[in-house]
Amino acid sequence: MYMKELPKAISEIEGIEVDDVHHDFGGPENNQGSDFAHFWLIVRLLDVETAGVQDYMFVCEYVQDVAEFDSSDAPTSVVLYQLKKKAGGYWGTAELTGQTQKSKAPKSTKPLVKLYKSVQAFKELQARGAFVSNARYSVPLRTKLLSTKAEQLSLAELDDIHCDALRVALGGLAGIAPEAVDLDLLEMRSVPLSIGDLHRHTTGIMFLYLQQKVADHANQASSLVDTIYLKLRGAARKTNVSKTWAELVERRGFGKMAFKSAVQALKAIPDAHQEHVRLLDKLAKDWPTPKTIKVRIALASLYKDKVLLGDENPWHIDVAPIRAICHTAMEQEQDDAACFLAVVNELQSQLPALAVVDISALAISEMIESWIPTAPTRASS
Protein backbone atom coordinates (compact mmCIF):
# COMPACT_ATOMS: atom_id res chain seq x y z
CA MET A 1 0.00 0.00 0.00
CA TYR A 2 1.31 3.45 -0.91
CA MET A 3 2.21 5.48 2.18
CA LYS A 4 1.98 9.25 1.94
CA GLU A 5 5.34 10.81 2.68
CA LEU A 6 5.44 12.80 5.88
CA PRO A 7 6.40 16.48 5.72
CA LYS A 8 10.12 16.84 6.34
CA ALA A 9 9.55 18.96 9.45
CA ILE A 10 7.34 16.29 11.05
CA SER A 11 9.85 13.58 10.16
CA GLU A 12 12.59 15.65 11.77
CA ILE A 13 10.57 16.14 14.97
CA GLU A 14 9.90 12.41 15.19
CA GLY A 15 13.51 11.51 14.46
CA ILE A 16 14.83 13.79 17.19
CA GLU A 17 12.26 12.43 19.66
CA VAL A 18 13.47 8.83 19.28
CA ASP A 19 17.17 9.80 19.49
CA ASP A 20 18.34 9.75 23.12
CA VAL A 21 21.30 11.95 22.19
CA HIS A 22 18.95 14.94 22.01
CA HIS A 23 17.17 14.44 25.32
CA ASP A 24 18.29 17.13 27.74
CA PHE A 25 15.59 17.40 30.37
CA GLY A 26 15.65 16.34 34.00
CA GLY A 27 12.31 14.56 34.05
CA PRO A 28 9.53 15.03 36.62
CA GLU A 29 11.27 13.14 39.39
CA ASN A 30 14.68 14.80 39.06
CA ASN A 31 13.71 18.37 38.19
CA GLN A 32 13.20 20.24 41.45
CA GLY A 33 11.93 23.19 39.46
CA SER A 34 9.05 21.25 37.86
CA ASP A 35 6.44 23.46 39.52
CA PHE A 36 8.23 26.54 38.21
CA ALA A 37 8.15 25.05 34.71
CA HIS A 38 4.43 24.22 34.87
CA PHE A 39 3.34 27.59 36.19
CA TRP A 40 5.65 29.42 33.79
CA LEU A 41 4.05 27.51 30.93
CA ILE A 42 0.58 28.59 32.04
CA VAL A 43 1.75 32.22 31.99
CA ARG A 44 3.34 31.66 28.58
CA LEU A 45 0.05 30.21 27.31
CA LEU A 46 -1.70 33.39 28.38
CA ASP A 47 0.95 35.52 26.63
CA VAL A 48 0.41 33.61 23.38
CA GLU A 49 -3.39 33.76 23.69
CA THR A 50 -3.35 37.48 24.48
CA ALA A 51 -1.17 38.07 21.40
CA GLY A 52 -3.87 36.42 19.26
CA VAL A 53 -1.66 33.64 17.90
CA GLN A 54 -3.85 31.47 15.64
CA ASP A 55 -2.25 28.12 16.40
CA TYR A 56 0.48 26.67 18.58
CA MET A 57 1.53 23.51 20.35
CA PHE A 58 3.57 23.24 23.54
CA VAL A 59 5.22 19.88 24.18
CA CYS A 60 6.57 19.05 27.64
CA GLU A 61 9.91 17.28 28.04
CA TYR A 62 10.80 17.40 24.35
CA VAL A 63 14.56 17.85 23.83
CA GLN A 64 14.56 20.52 26.57
CA ASP A 65 12.00 21.19 29.32
CA VAL A 66 9.41 22.68 26.98
CA ALA A 67 9.17 23.04 23.20
CA GLU A 68 6.90 25.67 21.63
CA PHE A 69 5.86 24.86 18.05
CA ASP A 70 4.09 27.38 15.84
CA SER A 71 1.44 24.90 14.68
CA SER A 72 -0.39 21.84 15.99
CA ASP A 73 -0.34 20.01 12.66
CA ALA A 74 2.21 21.64 10.34
CA PRO A 75 4.96 23.24 12.45
CA THR A 76 7.67 25.28 10.75
CA SER A 77 9.45 26.68 13.81
CA VAL A 78 10.22 25.74 17.39
CA VAL A 79 11.50 27.50 20.51
CA LEU A 80 13.23 25.24 23.03
CA TYR A 81 13.00 26.37 26.65
CA GLN A 82 15.37 25.39 29.44
CA LEU A 83 13.72 26.41 32.72
CA LYS A 84 15.65 26.89 35.95
CA LYS A 85 14.51 28.44 39.20
CA LYS A 86 17.02 30.17 41.45
CA ALA A 87 16.49 30.85 45.13
CA GLY A 88 18.62 34.00 45.20
CA GLY A 89 21.27 36.00 43.39
CA TYR A 90 22.01 36.35 39.70
CA TRP A 91 23.01 33.96 36.94
CA GLY A 92 26.58 34.47 35.73
CA THR A 93 28.57 33.14 32.80
CA ALA A 94 30.31 30.60 35.03
CA GLU A 95 26.96 28.87 35.59
CA LEU A 96 25.52 29.45 32.13
CA THR A 97 28.43 28.80 29.78
CA GLY A 98 31.31 27.77 32.03
CA GLN A 99 33.27 30.91 31.20
CA THR A 100 35.20 32.32 34.17
CA GLN A 101 37.72 35.06 34.89
CA LYS A 102 40.55 32.60 34.37
CA SER A 103 39.20 30.93 31.25
CA LYS A 104 36.75 32.07 28.61
CA ALA A 105 36.51 28.56 27.14
CA PRO A 106 32.87 27.36 27.38
CA LYS A 107 32.10 23.96 28.93
CA SER A 108 29.92 21.44 27.11
CA THR A 109 28.03 20.55 30.29
CA LYS A 110 26.68 24.06 30.90
CA PRO A 111 23.03 24.98 30.11
CA LEU A 112 23.50 27.46 27.27
CA VAL A 113 26.07 25.26 25.51
CA LYS A 114 23.73 22.28 25.70
CA LEU A 115 20.83 24.46 24.57
CA TYR A 116 22.77 25.53 21.47
CA LYS A 117 23.47 21.90 20.67
CA SER A 118 19.74 21.17 20.90
CA VAL A 119 18.88 24.08 18.61
CA GLN A 120 21.42 22.86 16.04
CA ALA A 121 19.71 19.46 15.87
CA PHE A 122 16.95 21.05 13.76
CA LYS A 123 17.54 21.59 10.06
CA GLU A 124 14.01 21.62 8.61
CA LEU A 125 12.46 23.77 11.33
CA GLN A 126 13.62 27.24 12.32
CA ALA A 127 14.83 26.67 15.88
CA ARG A 128 15.69 29.03 18.70
CA GLY A 129 16.51 28.49 22.37
CA ALA A 130 15.71 30.37 25.57
CA PHE A 131 17.06 29.90 29.07
CA VAL A 132 14.27 31.06 31.41
CA SER A 133 14.51 31.75 35.12
CA ASN A 134 12.91 33.76 37.90
CA ALA A 135 16.35 35.29 38.57
CA ARG A 136 18.14 37.90 36.48
CA TYR A 137 21.57 37.86 34.89
CA SER A 138 24.86 39.42 35.87
CA VAL A 139 26.89 39.00 32.71
CA PRO A 140 29.41 41.21 30.85
CA LEU A 141 27.84 43.06 27.92
CA ARG A 142 29.43 44.92 25.03
CA THR A 143 27.26 47.96 25.77
CA LYS A 144 26.86 50.05 28.92
CA LEU A 145 23.50 48.44 29.60
CA LEU A 146 23.26 46.82 33.05
CA SER A 147 22.44 43.16 32.50
CA THR A 148 20.81 42.91 35.92
CA LYS A 149 18.14 45.36 34.76
CA ALA A 150 17.24 43.46 31.58
CA GLU A 151 14.39 40.96 31.36
CA GLN A 152 15.66 39.51 28.10
CA LEU A 153 19.16 39.28 26.64
CA SER A 154 20.58 37.66 23.52
CA LEU A 155 23.76 35.66 23.91
CA ALA A 156 25.17 37.89 21.15
CA GLU A 157 24.98 40.85 23.57
CA LEU A 158 27.84 39.49 25.69
CA ASP A 159 31.15 41.30 25.33
CA ASP A 160 33.51 40.39 22.49
CA ILE A 161 35.82 38.24 24.62
CA HIS A 162 32.98 35.94 25.67
CA CYS A 163 31.28 35.94 22.25
CA ASP A 164 34.46 35.09 20.36
CA ALA A 165 35.18 32.14 22.65
CA LEU A 166 31.58 30.96 22.38
CA ARG A 167 31.62 31.05 18.58
CA VAL A 168 34.76 28.93 18.48
CA ALA A 169 33.43 26.35 20.94
CA LEU A 170 29.87 26.19 19.59
CA GLY A 171 31.13 26.06 16.04
CA GLY A 172 33.23 23.07 16.99
CA LEU A 173 30.19 21.32 18.49
CA ALA A 174 28.05 22.01 15.43
CA GLY A 175 30.79 21.32 12.89
CA ILE A 176 30.60 24.82 11.41
CA ALA A 177 32.95 27.77 11.16
CA PRO A 178 32.97 30.20 14.15
CA GLU A 179 31.70 33.04 11.97
CA ALA A 180 28.67 30.92 11.04
CA VAL A 181 27.57 30.61 14.67
CA ASP A 182 24.52 32.79 15.30
CA LEU A 183 24.47 33.70 18.99
CA ASP A 184 21.18 35.54 18.49
CA LEU A 185 19.51 32.11 18.40
CA LEU A 186 19.91 31.89 22.17
CA GLU A 187 18.26 34.13 24.75
CA MET A 188 18.38 34.57 28.50
CA ARG A 189 14.98 35.52 29.91
CA SER A 190 13.92 36.58 33.39
CA VAL A 191 10.28 36.20 34.40
CA PRO A 192 8.71 37.78 37.50
CA LEU A 193 7.35 34.56 39.00
CA SER A 194 7.74 34.24 42.75
CA ILE A 195 9.01 30.74 43.45
CA GLY A 196 7.62 31.06 46.96
CA ASP A 197 4.03 31.39 45.75
CA LEU A 198 3.75 30.35 42.12
CA HIS A 199 0.05 29.54 42.28
CA ARG A 200 -0.91 32.94 43.69
CA HIS A 201 1.00 34.84 41.02
CA THR A 202 -0.28 32.69 38.17
CA THR A 203 -3.87 32.90 39.40
CA GLY A 204 -3.66 36.69 39.46
CA ILE A 205 -2.48 36.74 35.83
CA MET A 206 -5.23 34.29 34.84
CA PHE A 207 -7.80 36.46 36.64
CA LEU A 208 -6.80 39.49 34.57
CA TYR A 209 -6.90 37.44 31.36
CA LEU A 210 -10.39 36.08 32.08
CA GLN A 211 -11.64 39.56 32.98
CA GLN A 212 -10.78 40.62 29.42
CA LYS A 213 -11.99 37.50 27.62
CA VAL A 214 -14.84 35.98 29.66
CA ALA A 215 -15.55 38.39 32.49
CA ASP A 216 -18.40 36.29 33.90
CA HIS A 217 -15.90 33.56 34.77
CA ALA A 218 -12.99 35.66 36.02
CA ASN A 219 -13.63 34.50 39.58
CA GLN A 220 -12.90 30.94 38.47
CA ALA A 221 -9.29 31.80 37.66
CA SER A 222 -7.94 29.58 40.42
CA SER A 223 -9.92 26.59 39.17
CA LEU A 224 -8.66 27.08 35.61
CA VAL A 225 -5.05 27.37 36.79
CA ASP A 226 -5.46 24.13 38.76
CA THR A 227 -6.99 22.34 35.77
CA ILE A 228 -4.21 23.33 33.36
CA TYR A 229 -1.54 22.72 36.00
CA LEU A 230 -2.68 19.13 36.47
CA LYS A 231 -2.78 18.52 32.70
CA LEU A 232 0.75 19.85 32.28
CA ARG A 233 2.01 17.95 35.30
CA GLY A 234 0.59 14.74 33.89
CA ALA A 235 2.04 15.43 30.44
CA ALA A 236 5.51 16.05 31.87
CA ARG A 237 5.46 12.60 33.47
CA LYS A 238 4.88 10.79 30.18
CA THR A 239 8.52 10.77 29.15
CA ASN A 240 8.49 7.45 27.30
CA VAL A 241 9.47 7.90 23.66
CA SER A 242 6.65 8.78 21.26
CA LYS A 243 7.14 7.40 17.75
CA THR A 244 4.90 9.84 15.88
CA TRP A 245 4.03 13.54 16.04
CA ALA A 246 0.39 12.64 16.72
CA GLU A 247 1.40 10.43 19.65
CA LEU A 248 3.77 13.08 20.99
CA VAL A 249 1.04 15.73 20.90
CA GLU A 250 -1.49 13.42 22.51
CA ARG A 251 0.79 12.39 25.35
CA ARG A 252 2.82 15.51 26.10
CA GLY A 253 1.21 18.31 24.14
CA PHE A 254 -0.97 21.24 25.12
CA GLY A 255 -2.20 23.45 22.31
CA LYS A 256 -4.76 26.08 21.42
CA MET A 257 -7.66 23.62 21.28
CA ALA A 258 -6.79 22.23 24.72
CA PHE A 259 -6.68 25.73 26.19
CA LYS A 260 -9.96 26.66 24.52
CA SER A 261 -11.60 23.51 25.89
CA ALA A 262 -10.37 24.28 29.41
CA VAL A 263 -11.85 27.78 29.25
CA GLN A 264 -15.11 26.49 27.76
CA ALA A 265 -15.40 23.96 30.59
CA LEU A 266 -15.69 26.86 33.04
CA LYS A 267 -19.13 27.58 31.63
CA ALA A 268 -20.33 24.21 32.90
CA ILE A 269 -19.27 25.10 36.44
CA PRO A 270 -21.35 27.64 38.40
CA ASP A 271 -19.55 30.85 39.31
CA ALA A 272 -18.89 30.43 43.02
CA HIS A 273 -18.82 34.19 43.64
CA GLN A 274 -22.26 34.68 42.11
CA GLU A 275 -23.60 31.76 44.14
CA HIS A 276 -22.15 33.33 47.31
CA VAL A 277 -24.04 36.55 46.57
CA ARG A 278 -27.30 34.72 45.84
CA LEU A 279 -27.12 32.72 49.07
CA LEU A 280 -26.25 35.80 51.12
CA ASP A 281 -29.19 37.73 49.63
CA LYS A 282 -31.50 34.84 50.47
CA LEU A 283 -30.29 34.43 54.05
CA ALA A 284 -30.11 38.16 54.79
CA LYS A 285 -33.76 38.98 54.09
CA ASP A 286 -34.50 39.33 57.81
CA TRP A 287 -31.07 40.55 58.93
CA PRO A 288 -30.38 44.10 60.08
CA THR A 289 -28.87 46.12 57.23
CA PRO A 290 -25.54 46.77 59.07
CA LYS A 291 -25.03 43.03 59.54
CA THR A 292 -25.78 42.34 55.87
CA ILE A 293 -23.26 44.97 54.76
CA LYS A 294 -20.55 43.66 57.08
CA VAL A 295 -21.06 40.04 56.02
CA ARG A 296 -21.04 41.07 52.36
CA ILE A 297 -17.70 42.86 52.86
CA ALA A 298 -16.25 39.91 54.78
CA LEU A 299 -17.46 37.47 52.12
CA ALA A 300 -15.94 39.55 49.31
CA SER A 301 -12.63 39.72 51.18
CA LEU A 302 -12.67 36.00 51.84
CA TYR A 303 -13.35 35.17 48.20
CA LYS A 304 -10.69 37.59 47.00
CA ASP A 305 -8.17 35.78 49.19
CA LYS A 306 -9.21 32.44 47.72
CA VAL A 307 -9.14 33.60 44.10
CA LEU A 308 -6.12 35.89 44.03
CA LEU A 309 -4.05 34.61 46.94
CA GLY A 310 -4.76 30.92 46.59
CA ASP A 311 -5.68 30.71 50.28
CA GLU A 312 -8.22 27.87 50.34
CA ASN A 313 -8.52 27.47 54.13
CA PRO A 314 -7.23 30.59 55.92
CA TRP A 315 -8.25 29.42 59.40
CA HIS A 316 -7.20 25.78 58.92
CA ILE A 317 -10.67 24.53 59.72
CA ASP A 318 -11.72 20.90 59.60
CA VAL A 319 -14.01 20.88 56.57
CA ALA A 320 -15.17 17.25 56.94
CA PRO A 321 -18.02 17.90 59.43
CA ILE A 322 -19.09 20.94 57.41
CA ARG A 323 -19.20 18.91 54.21
CA ALA A 324 -21.27 16.29 56.06
CA ILE A 325 -23.77 18.92 57.25
CA CYS A 326 -24.13 20.34 53.76
CA HIS A 327 -24.42 16.92 52.16
CA THR A 328 -27.21 15.96 54.58
CA ALA A 329 -29.00 19.25 53.90
CA MET A 330 -28.83 18.63 50.16
CA GLU A 331 -29.99 15.00 50.41
CA GLN A 332 -32.89 15.88 52.72
CA GLU A 333 -33.71 19.12 50.85
CA GLN A 334 -33.43 21.13 54.04
CA ASP A 335 -34.03 24.85 54.16
CA ASP A 336 -30.87 26.90 53.45
CA ALA A 337 -31.34 28.84 56.68
CA ALA A 338 -31.32 25.63 58.74
CA CYS A 339 -28.16 24.42 57.01
CA PHE A 340 -26.57 27.84 57.54
CA LEU A 341 -27.25 27.76 61.29
CA ALA A 342 -25.82 24.23 61.57
CA VAL A 343 -22.65 25.26 59.73
CA VAL A 344 -22.35 28.42 61.86
CA ASN A 345 -22.60 26.33 65.04
CA GLU A 346 -19.91 23.96 63.77
CA LEU A 347 -17.59 26.83 62.83
CA GLN A 348 -18.11 28.54 66.19
CA SER A 349 -17.08 25.33 67.95
CA GLN A 350 -13.88 25.27 65.88
CA LEU A 351 -13.19 29.02 65.91
CA PRO A 352 -14.65 30.40 69.15
CA ALA A 353 -12.63 33.63 68.93
CA LEU A 354 -13.75 34.54 65.40
CA ALA A 355 -16.26 37.38 65.03
CA VAL A 356 -19.86 36.52 64.13
CA VAL A 357 -19.62 38.46 60.88
CA ASP A 358 -16.58 36.44 59.76
CA ILE A 359 -18.21 33.19 60.90
CA SER A 360 -21.26 34.03 58.79
CA ALA A 361 -19.18 34.82 55.71
CA LEU A 362 -17.13 31.64 56.14
CA ALA A 363 -20.30 29.57 56.58
CA ILE A 364 -21.74 30.88 53.29
CA SER A 365 -18.43 30.24 51.53
CA GLU A 366 -18.17 26.67 52.83
CA MET A 367 -21.78 25.88 51.93
CA ILE A 368 -21.21 26.91 48.31
CA GLU A 369 -17.88 25.06 48.19
CA SER A 370 -19.72 21.93 49.32
CA TRP A 371 -22.43 22.15 46.70
CA ILE A 372 -20.75 23.17 43.44
CA PRO A 373 -18.23 21.15 41.41
CA THR A 374 -14.68 22.45 41.56
CA ALA A 375 -11.44 21.75 39.79
CA PRO A 376 -9.36 18.85 41.18
CA THR A 377 -6.97 19.67 43.97
CA ARG A 378 -3.35 20.25 42.97
CA ALA A 379 -1.13 17.42 44.00
CA SER A 380 1.93 18.35 45.96
CA SER A 381 5.17 18.11 44.05
Side-chain angles (χ1 to χ4, degrees):
M1 180 182 293
Y2 173 73
M3 297 292 290
K4 185 179 179 180
E5 184 179 358
L6 287 172
K8 290 182 179 180
I10 295 294
S11 295
E12 181 172 71
I13 293 169
E14 295 174 351
I16 290 174
E17 162 67 7
V18 299
D19 190 345
D20 287 342
V21 172
H22 299 298
H23 292 182
D24 185 31
F25 48 81
E29 301 302 329
N30 297 324
N31 183 6
Q32 295 180 352
S34 60
D35 260 7
F36 173 73
H38 302 332
F39 284 112
W40 170 84
L41 183 45
I42 295 174
V43 174
R44 177 60 187 157
L45 278 165
L46 297 179
D47 288 341
V48 172
E49 283 291 326
T50 300
V53 175
Q54 294 302 307
D55 193 19
Y56 58 83
M57 178 57 62
F58 289 92
V59 179
C60 298
E61 308 295 335
Y62 177 80
V63 183
Q64 292 286 328
D65 294 320
V66 176
E68 178 183 342
F69 294 93
D70 65 339
S71 171
S72 57
D73 54 9
T76 61
S77 68
V78 61
V79 181
L80 302 175
Y81 295 102
Q82 176 68 240
L83 295 135
K84 298 286 187 184
K85 69 177 183 179
K86 193 174 181 66
Y90 300 108
W91 291 100
T93 54
E95 296 170 287
L96 297 170
T97 64
Q99 295 171 296
T100 64
Q101 290 287 342
K102 292 183 178 180
S103 173
K104 296 301 180 284
K107 296 180 180 178
S108 61
T109 57
K110 294 301 179 179
L112 287 178
V113 179
K114 295 165 74 174
L115 186 56
Y116 181 81
K117 183 180 178 182
S118 295
V119 168
Q120 286 299 305
F122 293 88
K123 308 302 179 186
E124 299 297 332
L125 284 87
Q126 295 181 342
R128 303 178 63 85
F131 181 90
V132 182
S133 178
N134 60 296
R136 296 206 175 189
Y137 303 87
S138 180
V139 294
L141 304 180
R142 63 161 51 98
T143 66
K144 294 182 179 180
L145 177 71
L146 286 176
S147 63
T148 55
K149 301 293 184 181
E151 294 182 353
Q152 185 169 321
L153 291 166
S154 163
L155 200 58
E157 293 181 66
L158 294 180
D159 65 19
D160 291 339
I161 296 176
H162 286 80
C163 284
D164 290 345
L166 280 167
R167 290 190 178 95
V168 171
L170 299 180
L173 284 175
I176 59 178
E179 56 268 22
V181 173
D182 185 359
L183 296 181
D184 278 320
L185 293 178
L186 297 185
E187 294 177 343
M188 297 167 281
R189 300 183 188 177
S190 175
V191 292
L193 275 176
S194 171
I195 60 174
D197 207 340
L198 291 163
H199 186 271
R200 176 189 300 188
H201 192 142
T202 307
T203 297
I205 296 172
M206 181 67 77
F207 179 81
L208 296 175
Y209 171 82
L210 292 177
Q211 273 192 322
Q212 295 178 349
K213 301 296 182 179
V214 279
D216 290 346
H217 297 279
N219 289 313
Q220 293 166 281
S222 183
S223 292
L224 184 54
V225 168
D226 285 345
T227 297
I228 298 176
Y229 169 89
L230 288 177
K231 289 182 180 295
L232 296 177
R233 192 168 186 265
R237 291 180 177 275
K238 300 174 183 177
T239 54
N240 290 339
V241 171
S242 299
K243 295 182 179 179
T244 66
W245 168 249
E247 183 180 347
L248 182 63
V249 166
E250 181 181 359
R251 297 180 66 187
R252 281 184 265 148
F254 196 92
K256 191 174 186 70
M257 292 305 298
F259 181 82
K260 183 178 180 180
S261 296
V263 174
Q264 288 291 331
L266 291 178
K267 297 179 180 180
I269 302 174
D271 185 335
H273 181 61
Q274 291 183 3
E275 296 303 324
H276 288 160
V277 173
R278 290 191 186 99
L279 181 56
L280 171 60
D281 289 342
K282 184 177 181 180
L283 294 171
K285 286 182 178 179
D286 298 323
W287 292 1
T289 299
K291 177 182 177 181
T292 302
I293 294 173
K294 289 180 180 180
V295 172
R296 193 180 300 278
I297 292 172
L299 187 58
S301 177
L302 176 62
Y303 195 72
K304 178 183 177 183
D305 287 347
K306 286 192 174 187
V307 171
L308 294 180
L309 306 185
D311 197 346
E312 296 296 333
N313 199 342
W315 290 286
H316 307 289
I317 60 174
D318 181 4
V319 299
I322 297 172
R323 296 290 185 267
I325 292 170
C326 295
H327 178 74
T328 299
M330 182 173 62
E331 291 293 315
Q332 298 179 2
E333 298 185 352
Q334 294 178 2
D335 181 78
D336 288 341
C339 180
F340 173 73
L341 289 176
V343 173
V344 165
N345 289 335
E346 172 60 33
L347 288 171
Q348 286 178 329
S349 70
Q350 293 190 36
L351 304 167
L354 196 63
V356 173
V357 166
D358 292 319
I359 287 285
S360 298
L362 185 56
I364 292 172
S365 177
E366 292 303 323
M367 288 169 69
I368 295 301
E369 292 290 331
S370 298
W371 290 335
I372 67 172
T374 58
T377 303
R378 285 175 287 122
S380 59
S381 59

